[in-house]
């Protein structure tokens, strides 16, 4: 346990940030898994809608600091290639 008041506050804020980041990472992974499921299922309409949601979620992850912009660009490129190869 921290003895200094500022250290106590740092522990509280870091827990809040940790929960927020965990929630956002989970949301990102879930949307990517939904896209993967739609592509492997072969449903083009479902894959299109899942693609839009996945790209939007990846962009939000960049703005929240969860992903680097180059990592996000690589993920979006990969998603686009998988969607295009589906046809």
């Amino acid at each position: 346990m921290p003895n200094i008041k500022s250290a106590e506050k740092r522990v509280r804020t870091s827990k809040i940030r940790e929960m927020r980041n965990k929630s956002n990472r989970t949301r990102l992974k879930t949307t990517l898994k939904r896209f993967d499921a739609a592509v492997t299922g072969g449903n083009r309409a479902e894959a299109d809608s899942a693609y839009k949601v996945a790209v939007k979620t990846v962009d939000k992850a960049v703005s929240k600091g969860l992903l680097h912009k180059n990592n996000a660009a690589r993920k979006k490129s990969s998603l686009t290639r998988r969607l295009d190869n589906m046809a």
Side-chain angles (χ1 to χ4, degrees):
M1 285 301 292
N3 295 326
I4 299 170
K5 193 171 185 178
S6 62
E8 290 174 359
K9 182 177 180 182
R10 181 58 51 203
V11 169
R12 287 195 310 268
T13 57
S14 65
K15 283 182 183 177
I16 291 169
R17 285 174 182 240
E18 180 185 350
M19 289 187 303
R20 187 178 301 138
N21 286 335
K22 186 174 183 178
S23 171
N24 289 329
R25 274 194 306 269
T26 305
R27 184 176 298 121
L28 175 65
K29 288 181 182 181
T30 303
T31 57
L32 294 177
K33 286 179 186 176
R34 284 186 185 149
F35 174 75
D36 288 340
V39 170
T40 56
N43 188 349
R44 180 66 184 207
E46 186 179 329
D48 282 334
S49 63
Y51 171 78
K52 289 178 185 177
V53 173
V55 168
K56 187 175 181 179
T57 308
V58 168
D59 287 335
K60 282 186 179 181
V62 171
S63 68
K64 292 176 187 294
L66 294 176
L67 293 176
H68 189 273
K69 64 179 183 176
N70 291 348
N71 187 330
R74 185 173 56 83
K75 283 188 188 305
K76 291 193 294 187
S77 175
S78 174
L79 294 173
T80 305
R81 275 188 275 120
R82 288 194 60 200
L83 185 66
D84 290 342
N85 290 336
M86 198 175 150

